[in-house]
Amino acid sequence: MAELLIRPRREVTRGPLMGDPGALGRFGEYGGRYVPESLIGACREVEDAFREAWADPGFRGQLDRLLTTYAGRPTPLTPALNLSTELGSTLLLKREDLAHTGSHKINNVLGQALLARRMGRTRLIAETGAGQHGVATATAAALLGLRATVFMGAHDIERQGLNVFRMRMLGAEVVPVHTGARTLKDATSEAMRHWVGATEEAHYCMGSVLGPAPYPWMVREFQRVIGDEARRQCAAELRAAVPDYVVACVGGGSNAAGTFAGFVDTPARLVGVEADGGASASRGRLGVLHGVRSMFLQDDDGQVAEAHSIAAGLDYPGIGPEHAHLRDLGRARYVTVTDDEAVAAATRLARTEGIIPALESAHALAWVLRGGIPAGSTVLVTLSGRGDKDLGAL
Ligand SMILES: *Cc1c(COP(=O)(O)O)cnc(C)c1O
């Protein structure tokens, strides 16, 4: 896909925040559908099918039932009592680590797999970095009787043997990508290229709030369940009903978008936490990659740069277009955390609460632990996943 620099252009956005971005799929000056001619029709078909399905109580009921009986929803809201005492604030954890396959990714994938079947598709195509989205895709495909083809950088395949083994055990085909740095960015380019020749039989199952319209909107809607549940759970837990801070880590931004969607219409301060080496919201520039106009890490020639983080899920050099828009509006702020801070936060949560979080999720917690939050605050942190996969990296 094209990697190029584009000058900012101001556009008016109507409607409520985190609503339907409309047929152009725009979030302020971000979003859109920058794909080859041959994929425009396929993206439109996905959009039409999603619009119809999302308005259909039958589809919503089917998805809710899978989320409940299969994926383990609703996930608990855990008051972190020991850590709260140490911090002098009230810390609540939204436990996506307890969802099936160990992260929030299953929410999105079950939605897209059901949609694919509704569209008469027989196969899912996905990209994966560390393998978490690949495993979730392989899982949903197995459950719903679809084939799965997962593109993964050859370098990531070497680093993430266990997830490759899991995907193959679940019956997915894992395709090694040998181009570029042989990581997530290259796997995504290759997967989209492959989709061009297979749009009749296959649905592209994007793993975050990225890619051409309707993906950023659709993936956010499938992840909205995190924020909607947390909103109800906070109302039962907190005297003020809504926390002062709502904090989530941001790779592409799907767990954060799903969490924020439940609180965007409240006074809660929304904070997205990026890895220091993947800080696209903080240090990125406007560009187009993988079909979407957003903020990307780039060199002086506009070539997309590599992201680096100890948390493989934060290793993507861009953020979803809606996050870029929320940042511009000042509705959410985006901060960064170093590898060392994330590791320290993961260890502290393990020792105080008996929960080993994914290193991605530990970024969100690390920002809270830094101490910038006034004492007495109420803070919701989304724990996007569990840490078993990271134990080898510590
Ligand atoms: C994939 C992943 C992330 C990053 O993805 P987002 O789209 O930013 O949510 C974060 N945490 C975990 C556990 C992941 O697997």
Side-chain angles (χ1 to χ4, degrees), residues 83-370:
L83 207 44
S84 294
T85 304
E86 289 183 17
L87 290 173
S89 290
T90 301
L91 178 61
L92 301 169
L93 305 173
K94 181 59 176 159
R95 301 290 306 280
E96 295 304 294
D97 58 314
L98 293 178
H100 184 43
T101 70
S103 82
H104 65 292
K105 296 234 163 58
I106 194 76
N107 306 328
N108 166 45
V109 156
L110 284 175
Q112 289 200 52
L114 270 184
L115 187 71
R117 243 183 27 178
R118 187 180 164 105
M119 294 174 73
R121 303 294 186 260
T122 55
R123 184 157 71 95
L124 299 177
I125 298 170
E127 77 293 339
T128 199
Q132 295 297 103
H133 175 58
V135 168
T137 302
T139 299
L143 177 71
L144 296 175
L146 301 163
R147 287 190 296 138
T149 311
V150 180
F151 289 80
M152 189 169 186
H155 184 53
D156 288 333
I157 287 182
E158 283 161 29
R159 292 190 289 183
Q160 305 287 343
L162 191 58
N163 274 341
V164 176
F165 188 79
R166 276 196 190 108
M167 287 184 265
R168 291 189 171 141
M169 170 115 191
L170 290 158
E173 181 193 4
V174 180
V175 182
V177 175
H178 296 282
T179 50
R182 302 177 300 138
T183 57
L184 177 58
K185 173 164 76 76
D186 315 293
T188 309
S189 303
E190 205 50 45
M192 292 186 79
R193 215 168 282 140
H194 177 74
W195 190 35
V196 173
T199 53
E200 290 295 314
E201 60 163 284
H203 170 74
Y204 191 107
C205 183
M206 177 70 72
S208 191
V209 284
L210 291 160
Y215 286 95
W217 169 51
M218 178 170 71
V219 175
R220 178 250 282 162
E221 287 297 284
F222 285 141
Q223 293 293 1
R224 170 186 285 281
V225 65
I226 304 173
D228 287 347
E229 282 177 14
R231 175 86 175 262
R232 285 196 298 275
Q233 291 166 321
C234 283
E237 195 69 38
L238 297 173
R239 198 171 317 138
V242 171
D244 299 316
Y245 293 85
V246 172
V247 188
C249 68
V250 175
S254 69
N255 86 88
T259 305
F260 292 176
F263 295 91
V264 74
D265 62 342
T266 75
R269 292 178 178 81
L270 309 179
V271 183
V273 185
E274 296 188 287
D276 195 48
S280 324
S282 310
R283 287 195 289 277
R285 286 188 294 153
L286 193 61
V288 171
L289 180 67
H290 299 141
V292 65
R293 187 170 197 241
S294 192
M295 303 298 292
F296 297 97
L297 296 177
Q298 299 170 47
D299 65 18
D300 292 339
D301 297 327
Q303 288 297 313
V304 173
E306 290 296 323
H308 295 286
S309 168
I310 191 169
L314 305 184
D315 240 349
Y316 186 79
I319 49 159
E322 192 163 39
H323 285 295
H325 183 49
L326 291 172
R327 182 206 61 174
D328 283 6
L329 294 173
R331 180 60 192 94
R333 60 188 274 237
Y334 296 84
V335 297
T336 66
V337 152
T338 64
D339 284 355
D340 289 348
E341 285 178 292
V343 171
T347 306
R348 192 160 166 198
L349 188 68
R351 306 251 163 110
T352 53
E353 301 291 342
I355 298 169
I356 301 177
L359 285 177
E360 290 85 357
S361 324
H363 282 72
L365 186 66
W367 181 77
V368 175
L369 296 182
R370 219 182 243 170

